[in-house]
């Protein structure tokens, strides 16, 4: 049965035409707020790709009608399943591509088209796969409820307008909207100009409208006390405290901190017993009028009621953002920073001191430490007296010594947590690709150890020891999306090179005064001329890996460069056999004159593919600088995938290209794109061999002092036969027409800018490159010639150096080592000098901190985020911290502890974890339930059992310890962890040790 017999909708075009049209639309369509995109089942889309790539209309891979059955919960309501993942469960296609697919293949009967809008979320554009669905009703008739869908970017005023229309509210009526999240939870939507997202509206909520009475009153009385629970069965009874917290959008940092505090027994019991009600301080100018304490109390009481699977902390989030603007919105933050703010806010809201007196602090002035410490603690308690001070505050001794007069200043200062440093290595490991001068040698991936504060010259020196190539014959570059993102100067700092960058080190020939460093790009022309563009040009897209080579200035003609490039690419460019037919007929004068006006590449990416006319441009020359201002458009890109795959330069011993696996020869994949910025449409490739395009990186930066060396010019005889010199630009067309047949080049040479795009005016002149700045050239391949003579599999291969096989050791340090570093002597930084009262000026004094007294609950913050003058990094060092019997006796400065003093041994009760790097990540937490002694893993709304051997990981960020003499024995038996609690649903209880989810905003 043929494919056409399956499709009765319309006669579909050829498979290649289908592939090309959908390719063009996926490549050129950018996300714009308000545009429509469509959701398509990924399996159907992959089947379609296989079908059109097969080129066989009778192929068994015919996809049939568009079928999204697997995306729906049921076929009655056609509601999407929850937690569908883009590129795993579905793909998104622009409206025009959707309409073409629908015309060619039709759709399963009864299924609705899944149209979704592009919304402008904070800092990004995204297709809103899951719009919120809320219920609407009037306060006067709450039985008449209707449902409606709204975008997260809609304003509350849009909901109000829709309700006025739906319920025929008279124009001009004054309205109030209330947000109802459960049977007893109501919150006033005061600001109608905020978005649905900022108002924390979510699916399943109810919005109630009331209109003012004729006498000026409102029908509603004061709403009931707000609760934050999601809807759930009233019959649910679970273990108090074992309750998740819903992620409101990048709020995992808040959830992690709240879970740790919630499982701090003395603080939680204080709120559960409502002791806070008598100590709320509404007049403290440093406090939050009691609102933070009340919001936190609501959260704790709901989490410990045992009646909720998960609590939605939206009111708490709103309060935090109101009093700390840095936490407004839905950006990711630091759990320790929130914890610091929350502890300080709770302290000020619950401070028993209503009127703080002024107390002048005194220096030790030679007095005994015991006396000074008691005075400092007494003065602290005179101004600060709360449950937070009782539970979390300790005292340390600070000693400052002036470097000039040696004045010693001793003070005792309170602390709420200890921020301890981690040992930082002075070296870093970098993975780079070395490209040899030998054209037949494959790139070699090396792993080198360099100083963190080093320079590019250090990288070259380390690589020189492995390759025996002098560092002076190396140039280091960052390659991104087939172009040079940056070519580094030898004196630049290594701190500007990130671990995720694809760094290539190119070997150059010995330096010569008459040579120039030339950057070479590879481009593939489209088959069709871009008649829609005013430039009358061909579209072209970058592919492969760029090269850097030294070229004598005297050898920069088209002919010389053609021979040199052919020799440099000898490993994966097959020279034509002399018997092969590479001649082509000369075109008429009109077409020839037309071709001399084109510049060989499209100036407009958007129109590059919508062309017709299989003609090929002549090689062009230019005297114009290749670094002039770009026309702002990238070159036309290959056929995009719906997947946005990241770079795969370190793919191990597997082969990415089509071909047999080889344990030592591995194809290098081009850099991909992980997300879609607002101004870029970046997709992968539907074709098997094309690579991802669509970079948002800026153009390459030329080195300030490029090494000028010469490149060998010896050619093989067979390469000479392939060389096809271009006629002089000023040769008369009639003279060229005299020869009806001419030898065809494998590729043409074009001067380009650092982006790899041709600028207007570059196609004229006698030289192929310009020497006014860093020169860039591109060799343009006709697709047919590229297919015949360019071995893409071979071009992508690389080998791994023995250094890549050496396993990297995971660094482990003891928690005691970190505490010792905290108590070491350090010199103050220039930004934070100390004013010496003797010298009467600011001094960079030495400072030493010593622990004097410790609190009941000790919070230890591991400073994993390292910021120095040279580097910014997250330290993934494993800190070996004990779960029991953490002994601080050796760190306490006060040695003469009486029998009445509390012991100094602590047990672990909670851990806040951070997974990820500097710019993104996800927070979770481990905590021990105070009632049954069982450890749990809290990942937003999901809670799982945890064993003690799971707790110590390299993600541990903030540790909570409780002093042993205050630990209460569990009142309940620990539950069996062999199976999940029957009271929890499958969505709330996951397998033990489940991997953390991504910390970025999701569509649902």
């Amino acid at each position: 049965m043929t494919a056409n017999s399956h499709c009765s909708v319309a006669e579909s075009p050829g498979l290649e035409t289908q592939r090309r049209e959908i390719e063009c639309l996926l490549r050129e369509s950018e996300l714009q707020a308000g545009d429509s995109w469509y959701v398509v089942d990924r399996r159907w889309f992959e089947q379609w790709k296989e079908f059109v790539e097969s080129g066989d209309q009778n192929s068994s891979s015919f996809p049939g009608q568009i079928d999204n059955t697997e995306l729906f919960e049921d076929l009655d309501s056609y509601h999407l399943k929850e937690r569908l993942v883009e590129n795993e469960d579905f793909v998104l296609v622009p409206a025009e591509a959707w309409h073409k697919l629908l015309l060619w293949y039709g759709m399963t009967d009864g299924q609705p088209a899944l149209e979704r809008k592009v919304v402008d979320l904070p800092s990004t554009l995204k297709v809103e796969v899951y719009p919120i669905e809320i219920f609407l009703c009037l306060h006067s008739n709450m039985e008449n409820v209707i449902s409606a869908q709204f975008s997260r970017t809609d304003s509350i005023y849009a909901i109000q307008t829709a309700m006025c229309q739906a319920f025929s509210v008279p124009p001009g009526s004054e309205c109030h909207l209330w947000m109802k999240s459960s049977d007893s939870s109501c919150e006033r939507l005061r600001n109608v100009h905020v978005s649905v997202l900022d108002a924390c509206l979510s699916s399943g909520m109810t919005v109630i409208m009331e209109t003012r009475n004729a006498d000026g009153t409102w029908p509603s009385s004061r709403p009931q006390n707000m609760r934050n629970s999601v809807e759930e069965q009233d019959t649910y009874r679970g273990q108090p405290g074992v309750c998740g917290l819903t992620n409101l959008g990048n709020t995992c940092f808040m959830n992690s901190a709240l879970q740790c505090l919630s499982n701090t027994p003395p603080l939680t019991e204080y709120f559960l017993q409502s002791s806070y009600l008598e100590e709320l301080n509404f007049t403290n100018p440093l406090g939050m009028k009691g609102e933070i304490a009340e919001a936190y109390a609501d959260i704790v009481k709901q989490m410990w009621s045992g009646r909720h699977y998960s609590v939605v902390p939206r009111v708490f989030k709103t309060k935090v953002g109101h009093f700390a603007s840095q936490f407004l919105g839905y950006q990711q933050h630091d759990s320790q920073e929130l914890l610091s703010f929350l502890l300080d806010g709770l302290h000020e809201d619950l401070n028993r001191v209503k009127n703080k007196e002024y107390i002048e602090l005194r220096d030790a002035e030679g007095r005994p430490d015991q006396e000074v410490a008691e005075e400092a603690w007494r003065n602290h308690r005179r101004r600060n007296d709360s449950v937070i001070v009782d539970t979390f505050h300790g005292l340390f001794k600070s000693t400052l010594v002036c470097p000039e007069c040696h004045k010693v200043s001793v003070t005792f200062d309170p602390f709420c947590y200890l921020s301890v440093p981690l040992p930082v290595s002075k070296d870093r490991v970098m993975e780079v690709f070395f490209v040899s001068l030998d054209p037949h040698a494959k790139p070699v991936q090396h792993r080198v150890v360099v100083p963190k504060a080093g320079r590019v010259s250090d990288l070259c020196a380390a690589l020189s020891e492995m390759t025996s190539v002098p560092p002076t014959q190396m140039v280091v570059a960052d390659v991104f999306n087939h172009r040079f993102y940056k070519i580094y100067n030898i004196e630049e700092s290594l701190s500007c090179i990130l671990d995720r960058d694809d760094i290539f080190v190119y070997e150059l020939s010995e330096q010569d005064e008459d040579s120039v460093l030339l950057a070479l790009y590879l481009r593939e022309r489209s088959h069709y001329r871009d008649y829609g563009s005013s430039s009358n040009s061909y579209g072209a897209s970058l592919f492969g890996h760029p090269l850097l080579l030294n070229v004598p200035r005297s050898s920069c003609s088209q002919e010389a460069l053609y021979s040199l490039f052919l020799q440099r690419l000898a490993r994966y460019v097959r020279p034509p056999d002399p018997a092969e037919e590479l001649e082509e007929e000369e075109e008429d004068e009109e077409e020839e004159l037309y071709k001399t006006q084109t510049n060989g590449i499209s100036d407009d990416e958007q129109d590059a593919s919508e062309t017709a006319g299989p003609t090929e441009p002549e090689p062009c020359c230019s005297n114009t600088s290749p670094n002039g201002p770009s026309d702002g458009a990238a070159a036309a890109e290959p056929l995009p995938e719906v997947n946005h795959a990241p770079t795969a330069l370190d793919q191990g011993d597997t082969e990415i290209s089509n071909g047999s696996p080889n344990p030592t020869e591995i194809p290098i994949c081009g850099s991909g794109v992980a997300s879609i910025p607002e101004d870029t449409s970046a997709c992968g490739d539907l074709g098997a061999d094309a690579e991802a395009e669509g970079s948002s990186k800026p153009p390459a930066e030329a080195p300030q002092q490029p090494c000028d060396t010469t490149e060998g010019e010896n050619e093989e005889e067979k390469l000479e036969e392939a060389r096809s010199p271009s006629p002089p630009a000023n040769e008369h067309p009639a003279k060229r027409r005299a020869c009806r047949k001419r030898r065809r080049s494998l590729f043409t040479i074009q001067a380009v800018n650092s982006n790899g795009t041709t600028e207007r005016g570059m196609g004229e002149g006698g030289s192929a490159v310009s020497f006014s700045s860093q020169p860039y050239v591109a060799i343009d391949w006709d697709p047919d010639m590229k297919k015949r003579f360019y071995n893409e599999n071979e071009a992508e291969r690389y080998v791994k150096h023995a250094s890549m096989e050496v396993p990297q050791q995971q660094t482990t340090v003891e928690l005691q080592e970190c505490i010792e570093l905290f108590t070491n002597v350090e010199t103050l930084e220039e930004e934070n000098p100390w004013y010496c009262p003797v010298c009467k000026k600011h001094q960079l004094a030495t400072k030493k901190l010593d622990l004097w007294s410790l609190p009941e609950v000790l919070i230890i913050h591991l400073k994993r985020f390292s910021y120095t003058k040279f580097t910014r990094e997250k330290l993934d060092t494993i800190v070996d911290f004990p779960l029991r019997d953490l002994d601080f006796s050796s760190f306490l400065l006060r040695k003469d502890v009486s029998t009445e003093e509390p012991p100094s041994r602590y047990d672990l009760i909670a851990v806040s974890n951070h997974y990820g790097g500097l710019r993104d990540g996800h927070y979770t937490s481990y905590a021990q339930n105070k009632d049954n002694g069982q450890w749990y893993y809290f990942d937003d709304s999901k809670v799982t059992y945890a064993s003690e051997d799971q707790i110590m990981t390299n993600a541990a960020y903030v540790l909570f310890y409780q002093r042993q003499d205050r630990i209460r024995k569990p009142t309940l038996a620990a539950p069996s962890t062999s199976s999940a609690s029957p009271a929890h649903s499958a969505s709330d209880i996951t397998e033990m040790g489940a991997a953390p989810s991504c910390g970025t905003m999701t569509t649902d």
Side-chain angles (χ1 to χ4, degrees):
M1 182 179 294
T2 65
N4 290 335
S5 64
H6 287 276
C7 182
S8 60
V9 178
E11 186 69 18
S12 58
L15 299 185
E16 177 61 23
T17 302
Q18 293 184 35
R19 185 190 68 81
R20 189 171 59 251
E21 291 184 9
I22 300 301
E23 162 201 356
C24 179
L25 292 170
L26 288 176
R27 182 179 64 247
E28 297 181 355
S29 297
E30 295 183 353
L31 295 180
Q32 294 184 356
D35 283 358
S36 293
W37 286 59
Y38 287 79
V39 179
V40 179
D41 183 83
R42 186 189 69 85
R43 281 178 287 186
W44 185 93
F45 192 79
E46 293 294 331
Q47 186 81 0
W48 172 81
K49 285 199 299 183
E50 181 181 349
F51 176 59
V52 296
E53 289 172 0
S54 70
D56 183 9
Q57 289 279 2
N58 298 318
S59 172
S60 60
S61 59
F62 177 72
Q65 293 179 317
I66 301 174
D67 186 4
N68 290 331
T69 302
E70 297 299 322
L71 302 181
F72 299 113
E73 286 184 346
D74 58 76
L75 298 181
D76 295 326
S77 64
Y78 289 112
H79 281 169
L80 283 182
K81 293 179 180 177
E82 295 183 358
R83 299 180 179 87
L84 294 178
V85 179
E86 184 180 359
N87 298 328
E88 292 185 11
D89 303 307
F90 67 91
V91 296
L92 294 169
V93 297
E96 189 175 352
W98 163 260
H99 292 309
K100 287 181 180 291
L101 292 173
L102 186 63
L103 179 65
W104 298 335
Y105 296 93
M107 191 165 186
T108 303
D109 293 339
Q111 286 191 9
L114 299 177
E115 180 182 5
R116 294 296 184 264
K117 295 291 185 182
V118 179
V119 296
D120 190 1
L121 295 175
S123 75
T124 185
L125 289 169
K126 183 167 289 188
V127 178
E128 188 178 45
V129 177
Y130 290 94
I132 68 166
E133 183 174 1
I134 60 177
F135 301 102
L136 310 174
C137 66
L138 290 175
H139 184 272
S140 57
N141 184 10
M142 300 184 67
E143 299 297 324
N144 181 22
V145 180
I146 64 174
S147 64
Q149 287 189 343
F150 295 92
S151 169
R152 288 167 177 80
T153 58
D154 287 341
S155 65
I156 301 301
Y157 184 77
I159 299 179
Q160 179 175 304
T161 302
M163 295 184 70
C164 289
Q165 294 176 352
F167 296 113
S168 301
V169 176
S173 298
E174 190 174 353
C175 305
H176 274 179
L177 298 184
W178 295 90
M179 176 176 65
K180 181 182 180 184
S181 58
S182 66
D183 291 342
S184 58
S185 173
C186 284
E187 181 181 352
R188 167 82 185 285
L189 296 171
R190 301 179 185 276
N191 188 354
V192 296
H193 301 292
V194 300
S195 66
V196 170
L197 177 67
D198 292 334
C200 298
L201 270 173
S202 59
S203 294
M205 290 186 176
T206 302
V207 174
I208 304 170
M209 172 184 282
E210 62 173 346
T211 56
R212 189 185 294 273
N213 296 326
D215 62 355
T217 62
W218 294 97
S220 63
S221 59
R222 180 173 177 82
Q224 303 179 46
N225 291 333
M226 290 177 289
R227 295 174 63 228
N228 300 79
S229 310
V230 296
E231 289 190 13
E232 55 208 15
Q233 297 180 357
D234 293 336
T235 58
Y236 171 73
R237 295 294 183 272
Q239 173 62 42
V242 184
C243 176
L245 290 169
T246 301
N247 192 324
L248 303 174
N250 283 340
T251 57
C252 55
F253 73 97
M254 180 182 74
N255 295 345
S256 175
L258 286 176
Q259 291 288 5
C260 291
L261 276 185
S262 169
N263 286 278
T264 302
L267 185 65
T268 296
E269 291 173 359
Y270 171 84
F271 281 98
L272 291 180
Q273 296 169 3
S274 299
S275 302
Y276 72 97
L277 292 176
E278 299 178 359
E279 297 183 349
L280 284 172
N281 190 334
F282 299 101
T283 61
N284 187 352
L286 300 179
M288 289 79 174
K289 306 295 185 282
E291 293 187 40
I292 288 293
E294 288 181 330
Y296 179 75
D298 289 341
I299 291 290
V300 169
K301 289 192 174 185
Q302 292 173 56
M303 294 174 66
W304 287 85
S305 67
R307 297 175 180 265
H308 307 298
Y309 299 117
S310 178
V311 169
V312 182
R314 79 170 44 83
V315 174
F316 179 82
K317 167 71 170 62
T318 303
K319 296 293 184 185
V320 169
H322 175 72
F323 291 106
S325 59
Q326 67 268 31
F327 297 113
L328 278 173
Y330 295 90
Q331 301 299 317
Q332 185 64 278
H333 294 281
D334 191 307
S335 67
Q336 187 271 334
E337 292 178 0
L338 176 80
L339 188 65
S340 176
F341 161 77
L342 183 55
L343 290 175
D344 184 65
L346 290 175
H347 161 64
E348 298 295 354
D349 272 1
L350 300 170
N351 198 342
R352 304 176 186 110
V353 178
K354 307 303 180 184
N355 298 306
K356 295 186 178 183
E357 58 180 309
Y358 173 76
I359 299 176
E360 184 175 355
L361 299 179
R362 296 175 54 197
D363 195 79
E365 297 177 350
R367 292 180 295 163
D369 285 348
Q370 182 73 26
E371 177 185 342
V372 179
E374 290 178 355
E375 178 186 80
W377 184 250
R378 188 166 56 250
N379 290 338
H380 178 62
R381 294 302 296 256
R382 286 166 61 185
R383 292 174 53 86
N384 304 277
D385 184 14
S386 70
V387 64
I388 302 299
V389 176
D390 299 339
T391 308
F392 298 99
H393 281 207
L395 202 64
F396 59 69
K397 176 185 177 182
S398 174
T399 305
L400 290 166
V401 180
C402 178
E404 288 189 12
C405 68
H406 303 291
K407 159 71 176 176
V408 178
S409 173
V410 176
T411 57
F412 286 81
D413 304 306
F415 67 87
C416 192
Y417 53 86
L418 296 180
S419 288
V420 299
L422 272 63
V424 179
S425 172
K426 294 183 179 180
D427 296 326
R428 64 180 288 194
V429 177
M430 297 184 65
E431 295 181 3
V432 299
F433 291 91
F434 178 73
V435 181
S436 172
L437 191 61
D438 180 3
H440 296 282
K442 300 179 180 66
V444 182
Q445 187 180 25
H446 292 262
R447 182 177 288 156
V448 295
V449 179
V450 295
K452 282 186 177 179
R455 301 182 183 275
V456 173
S457 57
D458 296 313
L459 171 61
C460 295
L463 194 59
S464 175
E465 296 180 1
M466 296 183 177
T467 61
S468 299
V469 174
T472 55
Q473 293 180 226
M474 295 182 183
V475 173
V476 180
D478 183 356
V479 176
F480 182 82
N481 256 6
H482 321 295
R483 57 173 64 88
F484 289 117
Y485 170 60
K486 183 172 183 179
I487 302 173
Y488 291 98
N489 184 280
I490 203 72
E491 295 299 323
E492 287 192 71
S493 172
L494 290 175
S495 61
C496 59
I497 300 179
L498 305 180
D499 290 337
R500 65 171 181 268
D501 292 339
D502 296 329
I503 302 301
F504 284 72
V505 181
Y506 297 87
E507 178 188 2
L508 303 178
S509 56
E510 294 182 3
Q511 187 173 2
D512 189 290
E513 294 181 358
D514 190 38
S515 63
V516 60
L517 181 65
L518 190 64
L520 176 64
Y521 292 157
L522 283 73
R523 303 191 301 184
E524 180 179 5
R525 289 194 297 262
S526 64
H527 280 289
Y528 303 105
R529 174 168 287 157
D530 188 2
Y531 289 105
S533 172
S534 60
S535 63
N536 293 329
S537 58
Y538 288 86
S541 57
L542 293 169
F543 71 93
H545 298 280
L547 293 173
L548 286 173
L549 61 161
N550 274 332
V551 180
R553 292 176 183 266
S554 59
S555 302
C556 287
S557 64
Q558 293 276 356
E559 294 85 353
L561 289 180
Y562 183 87
S563 300
L564 180 62
F565 293 164
L566 203 58
Q567 179 190 14
R568 192 67 179 87
L569 305 175
R571 182 169 61 88
Y572 43 88
V573 174
R574 178 179 67 85
D577 188 84
E580 289 188 83
E581 180 63 42
L582 288 181
E583 294 181 347
E584 61 181 9
E585 291 188 4
E586 194 69 42
E587 302 181 35
D588 57 29
E589 178 180 5
E590 180 180 356
E591 179 66 17
E592 198 67 37
L593 291 175
Y594 172 80
K595 292 169 69 175
T596 60
Q597 297 172 358
T598 65
N599 63 9
I601 187 169
S602 172
D603 289 312
D604 189 349
E605 179 185 2
Q606 300 301 322
D607 301 326
S609 298
E610 300 177 6
T611 60
T615 57
E616 180 184 354
E618 291 289 330
C620 299
C621 305
S622 174
N623 281 329
T624 309
S625 168
N627 284 334
S630 173
D631 56 7
E637 303 175 274
L639 180 62
E641 275 183 11
V642 179
N643 269 348
H644 308 298
T647 180
L649 280 168
D650 52 349
Q651 287 296 318
D653 293 338
T654 59
E655 194 166 298
I656 308 303
S657 311
N658 293 333
S660 59
N662 190 315
T664 60
E665 299 181 356
I666 311 161
I668 303 177
C669 295
S671 297
V673 183
S675 61
I676 305 180
E678 290 193 28
D679 59 344
T680 306
S681 175
C683 297
D685 195 338
L686 287 175
D689 297 327
E691 299 183 53
E693 270 294 340
S695 161
S696 62
K697 274 198 175 185
E701 299 178 19
Q704 298 174 2
Q705 300 173 352
C707 299
D708 294 335
T709 57
T710 58
E711 188 78 28
E713 299 183 14
N714 296 329
E715 284 189 326
E716 299 177 11
E717 183 177 356
K718 59 181 180 181
L719 300 183
E720 184 66 32
E721 296 177 358
R723 186 160 61 92
S724 177
S726 302
N730 58 357
E731 185 175 354
H732 196 278
K735 182 179 178 181
R736 301 177 63 184
R737 292 199 305 275
C739 180
R740 306 303 298 172
K741 297 284 186 177
R742 63 183 176 85
R743 193 73 173 172
R744 188 180 182 186
S745 304
L746 293 184
F747 49 78
T748 59
I749 302 173
Q750 177 69 47
V752 295
N753 59 20
S754 58
N755 278 324
T757 56
T758 311
E759 302 194 11
R760 289 178 174 85
M762 283 189 170
E764 301 175 2
S767 174
V769 296
S770 168
F771 305 111
S772 59
S773 60
Q774 171 66 54
Y776 294 83
V777 297
I779 56 176
D780 292 347
W781 289 80
D782 179 81
D784 295 332
M785 301 293 284
K786 175 175 177 283
K787 185 176 182 180
R788 291 172 62 187
F789 298 101
Y790 184 88
N791 188 335
E792 191 161 359
N793 288 346
E794 180 63 28
E796 298 298 319
R797 295 185 189 278
Y798 71 97
V799 295
K800 286 190 174 185
H801 187 260
S803 59
M804 295 296 298
E805 306 301 329
V806 179
Q808 292 182 276
Q809 298 294 329
Q810 177 68 59
T811 307
T812 303
V813 299
E814 300 288 335
L815 178 60
Q816 286 82 350
E817 295 180 47
C818 301
I819 299 174
E820 287 177 0
L821 284 176
F822 175 78
T823 58
N824 283 348
V825 178
E826 62 178 2
T827 302
L828 297 179
E829 298 179 351
E830 294 181 0
E831 298 79 10
N832 186 32
W834 170 68
Y835 184 79
C836 176
V838 177
C839 299
K840 304 296 183 182
K841 63 179 180 179
H842 288 90
Q843 298 281 12
L844 298 182
T846 59
K847 181 178 181 179
K848 188 179 190 305
L849 296 177
D850 293 289
L851 298 177
W852 182 262
S853 64
L854 298 176
E856 175 183 347
V857 175
L858 177 62
I859 301 176
I860 301 178
H861 166 223
L862 304 177
K863 298 171 70 173
R864 291 196 176 275
F865 298 100
S866 173
Y867 301 95
T868 68
K869 294 180 180 179
F870 306 102
T871 59
R872 296 174 69 251
E873 61 179 332
K874 185 200 171 184
L875 305 176
D876 289 324
T877 306
I878 293 181
V879 178
D880 186 359
F881 52 88
L883 272 64
R884 296 180 183 85
D885 296 323
L886 175 60
D887 190 359
F888 275 90
S889 58
S890 60
F891 299 106
L892 283 174
L893 190 62
R894 183 174 49 178
K895 301 299 183 181
D896 54 340
V897 178
S898 65
T899 56
E900 299 178 358
E901 293 293 333
S904 56
R905 290 184 178 270
Y906 287 79
D907 289 352
L908 188 72
I909 57 173
V911 180
S912 175
N913 303 308
H914 178 268
Y915 299 90
L918 282 173
R919 293 175 174 83
D920 52 20
H922 183 63
Y923 288 91
T924 64
S925 56
Y926 289 103
Q928 185 181 38
N929 187 274
K930 67 182 182 66
D931 292 337
N932 60 18
Q934 171 66 41
W935 281 91
Y936 294 91
Y937 180 68
F938 297 90
D939 184 358
D940 288 333
S941 57
K942 292 182 175 60
V943 184
T944 60
Y945 295 111
S947 59
E948 292 187 352
D949 58 358
Q950 293 177 296
I951 298 171
M952 191 184 71
T953 68
N954 63 350
Y957 184 44
V958 183
L959 311 177
F960 285 69
Y961 280 94
Q962 186 176 14
R963 205 168 57 217
Q964 288 182 344
D965 66 315
R966 292 299 189 95
I967 295 178
R968 188 188 64 182
K969 293 183 178 180
T971 57
L972 302 174
S976 172
T977 58
S978 59
S979 62
S981 170
H984 285 70
S985 66
S987 63
D988 292 313
I989 290 293
T990 58
E991 293 185 5
M992 194 175 301
S997 62
C998 178
T1000 57
M1001 179 82 75
T1002 57
T1003 54
D1004 57 349

